[in-house]
Amino acid sequence: RDDQGNIPGTWHPKARRDDQGNIPGTWHPKARRETYDRNKNIVFNYLKNWIYQNNNLRPEAIIGMMASIDKETGVKVFNEDLNENEYIGSFSHEQQEQGHSKLGEGLWQFTTRLHKDGYENFVEDNNPINPNAPELLEDSKEANLEYFLDSVFNPESNMRHEIGGGNLDDVKDALTTGTVEEIIEAINNKWLKPATYGALVEARKNLDKARKDETIDDEPFIIALEEAVKDHQENLTDRFSRGDTL
């Protein structure tokens, strides 16, 4: 089985049950959960031992990061106890996005060239700030984690220009002193910037423009903003709940 639990060319008979959310090439939900739990433990132990300038990550930072990864790598799995499907994090660096654009890759579900190129360059440079990092970086859970943390904590990171120094400083402050929810929100809004956040920003801009033009009825833009706020809050709430269960 690979990192996502797939056995090339084979599948568990129970994976034929489409009503359980399984598709050809996958395996029984229990075996899948066991693999995802192993991945999650690998991520947790790596973050627990991560160090920069003699400082480890706070428990709140680890939970906030893992809650974000849990959401980003969410895969539909059938819950036999509840008799329904649910989305649980695979914590796999090989995870491909299953919904929307299907462009997302890895623990952080990179969808843009900004992060895909940034990650590739980071791995190629092979110069993480963590002395406990592998001697040779390659595409892996560890490299995914190092890329994120390097961009946040390394003042010389090439990503400061791409993501914005102010954004990265906000994420760093949250990881250093914030609550779990503040950390999750900072990662989401300042680093990941998912579709719901982009839609929220766009809706605010559109409403501002409409209000400056007296010939435009701003009511539709108010409604659009309310919907964007609702969608983005649902996204954050899901992430917060994942942090509560870690």
Side-chain angles (χ1 to χ4, degrees):
R1 293 188 179 110
D2 63 16
D3 191 50
Q4 299 180 64
N6 295 310
I7 306 175
T10 64
W11 60 352
H12 192 287
K14 292 185 179 180
R16 297 177 186 272
R17 301 179 191 170
D18 292 338
D19 62 335
Q20 292 189 358
N22 295 310
I23 57 175
T26 63
W27 74 84
H28 190 271
K30 182 178 180 181
R32 184 185 292 188
R33 288 175 182 275
E34 290 173 351
T35 297
Y36 294 170
D37 283 342
R38 285 196 295 272
N39 291 342
K40 181 164 64 175
N41 286 333
I42 290 172
V43 170
F44 169 73
N45 286 321
Y46 192 82
L47 291 176
K48 186 174 66 172
N49 293 308
W50 191 86
I51 189 170
Y52 174 59
Q53 294 183 340
N54 296 319
N55 292 314
N56 294 103
L57 293 169
R58 297 185 305 134
E60 294 88 347
I62 294 175
I63 294 173
M65 291 176 61
M66 292 188 66
S68 300
I69 294 170
D70 191 6
K71 171 69 172 177
E72 292 298 317
T73 61
V75 177
K76 184 167 65 175
V77 178
F78 186 72
N79 186 318
E80 294 179 319
D81 294 330
L82 299 176
N83 196 37
E84 64 182 23
N85 290 313
E86 62 179 346
Y87 280 85
I88 64 173
S90 71
F91 287 84
S92 169
H93 67 283
E94 298 174 335
Q95 184 64 54
Q96 292 289 317
E97 182 180 356
Q98 295 195 348
H100 303 296
S101 67
K102 300 188 183 303
L103 295 175
E105 299 175 351
L107 297 185
W108 304 105
Q109 289 295 281
F110 303 136
T111 57
T112 63
R113 290 310 328 166
L114 182 151
H115 276 306
K116 288 183 178 182
D117 290 346
Y119 174 64
E120 290 176 4
N121 292 334
F122 174 75
V123 171
E124 184 177 345
D125 290 342
N126 194 49
N127 189 30
I129 57 176
N130 170 25
N132 293 332
E135 289 187 11
L136 179 62
L137 285 181
E138 56 184 2
D139 185 31
S140 61
K141 300 176 192 62
E142 294 82 2
N144 272 231
L145 298 171
E146 290 291 350
Y147 168 68
F148 168 77
L149 288 164
D150 187 272
S151 72
V152 173
F153 285 99
N154 184 0
E156 303 300 323
S157 169
N158 294 330
M159 299 309 294
R160 288 192 67 82
H161 174 71
E162 302 295 334
I163 300 174
N167 287 332
L168 292 171
D169 288 343
D170 288 344
V171 178
K172 179 181 178 182
D173 289 343
L175 290 171
T176 305
T177 63
T179 65
V180 170
E181 289 194 354
E182 289 171 341
I183 291 166
I184 291 172
E185 187 163 5
I187 292 173
N188 190 69
N189 293 355
K190 304 291 186 176
W191 201 87
L192 289 170
K193 299 182 180 179
T196 57
Y197 178 74
L200 177 60
V201 172
E202 187 66 20
R204 284 172 175 163
K205 288 181 179 179
N206 291 339
L207 178 57
D208 287 342
K209 289 181 181 178
R211 285 176 168 169
K212 292 176 182 178
D213 189 336
E214 295 181 357
T215 66
I216 297 178
D217 179 10
D218 63 6
E219 185 62 25
F221 297 95
I222 294 174
I223 295 174
L225 177 57
E226 290 173 346
E227 287 296 319
V229 170
K230 179 186 174 193
D231 290 344
H232 187 57
Q233 191 56 51
E234 287 178 352
N235 184 321
L236 286 174
T237 299
D238 185 12
R239 295 168 191 266
F240 295 159
S241 66
R242 292 170 187 268
D244 290 338
T245 59
L246 284 171

